[in-house]
């Protein structure tokens, strides 16, 4: 596919300009401002009902905003029908035609776009080769596994050489092993198609962290946060981001002039004068909490132990709050009720001011 959209396709990139979508007066997407840069993978991450799929459908043209505009490249596509937007789309149900062979499924969009008949076989072969499905061209969907069907659906979307590729929970119907393999395939496709902008809707943190250049965190119909996976994971701005992007300990603390108090324990954590004298939330990732003596020591009783293969997840009651610690190579497992000490480094904790970014 030569790593680019076709010359006739619209420029890559997506922009939401104050987009609001409502059904029967109920707002399901509220004033979304967001830009997906050309060639970028943007994941829309959030729980069910957060507005992420509605945002994707607004780009596809399946829903009309009541306010705001949607741009693909330089074009305002807000009022354009879906077939004029030059997009490829893959949904979780695959949506393959069961009576058509794989090659005919992939050719369907090309025929709808009135691509010259002589060009279609080459474009089909190209798209199937990119997804590793070229040897399955003569099969019917019923003769394929779920992962293979999803590859065909992706090939069909890529065959039209879109400037924008929309992926709506494309791996949710696959089992864990197939999902892992498809994540690798999608990452490879992204490298091979550096000019195609991808909007990826998911509620799965691993998918978002693995694939996305940036993640837009959605909740209650609104955009709550946006940044690189590393920034959102290591330095979240809000409690919702901290809890939804990865797993987190969120502990209520009192912030003084250079001191942070959790219960009766003073902790060494970087502070900002803006939150001195206020209540705040301390965020520490479980894998950064160690077992045994160390800096920022917290003493508590073991409430639960979960073996997770390479780690043990300890739940420890500390000052009325349950702290999670993911400990590797734990040879002697603490018993329930045992008193243990947990610790974490100063640089591994993030202080979240109360109410920042939340609603």
């Amino acid at each position: 596919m030569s790593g680019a959209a076709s010359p006739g396709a619209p420029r890559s990139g997506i922009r939401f300009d104050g987009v609001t979508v409502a059904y029967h007066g109920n707002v399901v997407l509220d004033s979304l401002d967001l830009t997906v840069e050309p060639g970028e993978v943007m994941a829309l991450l959030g729980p069910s009902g957060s507005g992420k799929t509605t945002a994707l459908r607004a780009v596809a043209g399946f829903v009309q905003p009541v306010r705001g505009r949607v741009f693909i490249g330089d074009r305002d596509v807000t009022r354009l029908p879906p077939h004029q937007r030059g997009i490829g789309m893959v949904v979780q149900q695959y949506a393959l035609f069961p009576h058509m062979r794989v090659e005919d499924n992939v050719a369907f969009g090309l025929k709808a776009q009135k691509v010259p008949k002589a060009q279609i076989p080459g474009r089909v072969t190209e798209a199937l080769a990119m997804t590793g499905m070229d040897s399955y061209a003569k099969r019917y969907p019923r003769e394929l596994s779920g992962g293979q069907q999803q590859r065909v659906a992706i090939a069909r979307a890529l065959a039209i050489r879109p400037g924008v590729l929309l992926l709506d929970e494309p791996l949710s119907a696959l089992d864990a092993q197939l999902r892992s393999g498809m994540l690798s395939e999608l990452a490879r496709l992204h490298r091979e198609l550096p000019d195609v902008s991808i909007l990826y809707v998911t509620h799965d943190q691993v998918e978002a962290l693995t694939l996305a250049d940036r993640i837009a965190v959605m909740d209650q119909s609104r955009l709550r946060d946006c940044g690189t996976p590393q920034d959102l994971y290591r330095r979240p701005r809000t409690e919702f981001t901290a809890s939804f992007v990865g797993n987190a300990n969120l502990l209520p603390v009192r912030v003084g002039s250079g001191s942070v108090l959790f219960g009766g324990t003073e902790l060494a954590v970087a502070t900002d004068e803006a939150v001195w004298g206020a209540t705040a939330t301390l965020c520490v990732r479980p894998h950064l909490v160690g077992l045994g003596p160390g800096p920022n020591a917290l003493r508590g009783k073991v409430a639960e132990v979960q073996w997770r293969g390479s780690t043990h997840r300890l739940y420890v009651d500390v000052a009325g709050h349950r702290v999670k610690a993911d400990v590797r190579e734990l040879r002697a497992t603490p018993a329930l009720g045992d008193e243990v000490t947990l610790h974490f480094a100063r640089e591994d904790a993030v202080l979240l001011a109360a109410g920042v970014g939340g609603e």
Side-chain angles (χ1 to χ4, degrees):
M1 195 170 293
S2 71
S6 64
R11 280 187 55 206
S12 182
I14 305 166
R15 180 161 62 90
F16 297 89
D17 184 6
V19 173
T20 296
V21 176
Y23 299 134
H24 308 294
N26 296 316
V27 173
V28 293
L29 184 65
D30 191 0
S31 305
L32 178 61
D33 290 306
L34 183 68
T35 298
V36 184
E37 300 294 345
E40 181 178 37
V41 179
M42 174 74 77
L44 296 182
L45 179 66
S48 297
S50 61
K52 58 189 187 298
T53 293
T54 300
L56 180 139
R57 289 171 61 83
V59 178
F62 299 146
V63 298
Q64 283 291 318
V66 294
R67 289 189 301 276
R69 297 183 297 169
V70 178
F71 292 84
I72 295 178
D74 295 328
R75 293 195 308 162
D76 183 344
V77 300
T78 311
R79 303 301 169 192
L80 284 181
H83 68 275
Q84 292 183 11
R85 299 192 179 200
I87 58 173
M89 186 169 181
V90 180
V91 297
Q92 55 186 307
Q93 299 89 359
Y94 318 142
L96 300 178
F97 298 109
H99 63 288
M100 291 184 181
R101 297 180 189 274
V102 164
E103 60 188 0
D104 297 319
N105 266 283
V106 176
F108 183 83
L110 296 170
K111 293 175 180 177
Q113 286 194 338
K114 296 182 169 42
V115 171
K117 190 174 181 180
Q119 296 181 18
I120 290 177
R123 296 271 288 271
V124 169
T125 299
E126 178 184 60
L128 287 174
M130 287 197 73
T131 56
M133 291 299 293
D134 41 335
S135 61
Y136 296 84
K138 300 296 183 183
R139 295 196 186 185
Y140 289 95
R142 65 178 178 272
E143 299 173 316
L144 305 175
S145 69
Q148 290 169 336
Q149 290 183 47
Q150 193 61 297
R151 282 185 170 88
V152 174
I154 293 169
R156 182 173 59 187
L158 294 176
I160 64 172
R161 296 176 178 171
V164 166
L165 181 61
L166 307 178
L167 302 174
D168 186 8
E169 302 275 11
L171 310 183
S172 63
L174 305 179
D175 62 38
Q177 187 172 0
L178 281 175
R179 189 156 53 244
S180 177
M182 283 300 299
L183 276 174
S184 297
E185 289 297 314
L186 289 171
R188 178 185 60 79
L189 281 172
H190 179 217
R191 292 192 296 271
E192 294 183 9
L193 299 169
D195 297 327
V196 176
S197 298
I198 299 176
L199 190 61
Y200 191 104
V201 166
T202 183
H203 64 272
D204 187 287
Q205 305 165 10
V206 173
E207 291 179 22
L209 292 170
T210 300
L211 286 175
D213 298 308
R214 286 190 298 151
I215 299 173
V217 182
M218 307 283 294
D219 185 42
Q220 297 182 347
S221 307
R222 303 195 69 181
L223 176 66
R224 299 299 181 183
D225 212 341
C226 187
T228 68
Q230 294 83 0
D231 286 345
L232 295 183
Y233 187 83
R234 294 172 181 164
R235 289 290 180 264
R237 295 190 310 111
T238 70
E239 288 188 29
F240 183 81
T241 299
S243 61
F244 207 83
V245 181
N247 204 288
N249 290 298
L250 299 173
L251 308 176
V253 295
R254 184 80 181 174
V255 183
S257 56
S259 66
V260 174
L261 289 175
F262 170 59
T265 303
E266 183 170 340
L267 303 174
V269 177
T271 63
D272 187 325
E273 288 188 27
V275 296
W276 285 2
T279 57
T281 299
L282 189 70
C283 170
V284 187
R285 300 294 182 183
H287 74 279
L288 298 174
V289 178
L291 179 64
N296 291 321
L298 301 174
R299 190 80 176 161
K301 289 187 176 182
V302 176
E304 186 179 350
V305 179
Q306 296 177 352
W307 180 63
R308 300 190 172 193
S310 61
T311 64
H312 282 81
R313 164 72 59 88
L314 304 183
Y315 293 84
V316 180
D317 287 336
V318 181
H321 298 275
R322 188 157 290 191
V323 179
K324 295 168 285 192
D326 290 340
V327 184
R328 297 182 64 86
E329 299 180 358
L330 187 59
R331 301 187 185 282
T333 306
L336 300 186
D338 281 359
E339 284 209 1
V340 296
T341 299
L342 304 176
H343 68 271
F344 59 90
R346 180 180 189 274
E347 59 271 20
D348 290 334
V350 180
L351 201 61
L352 307 176
V356 174
E359 281 182 34

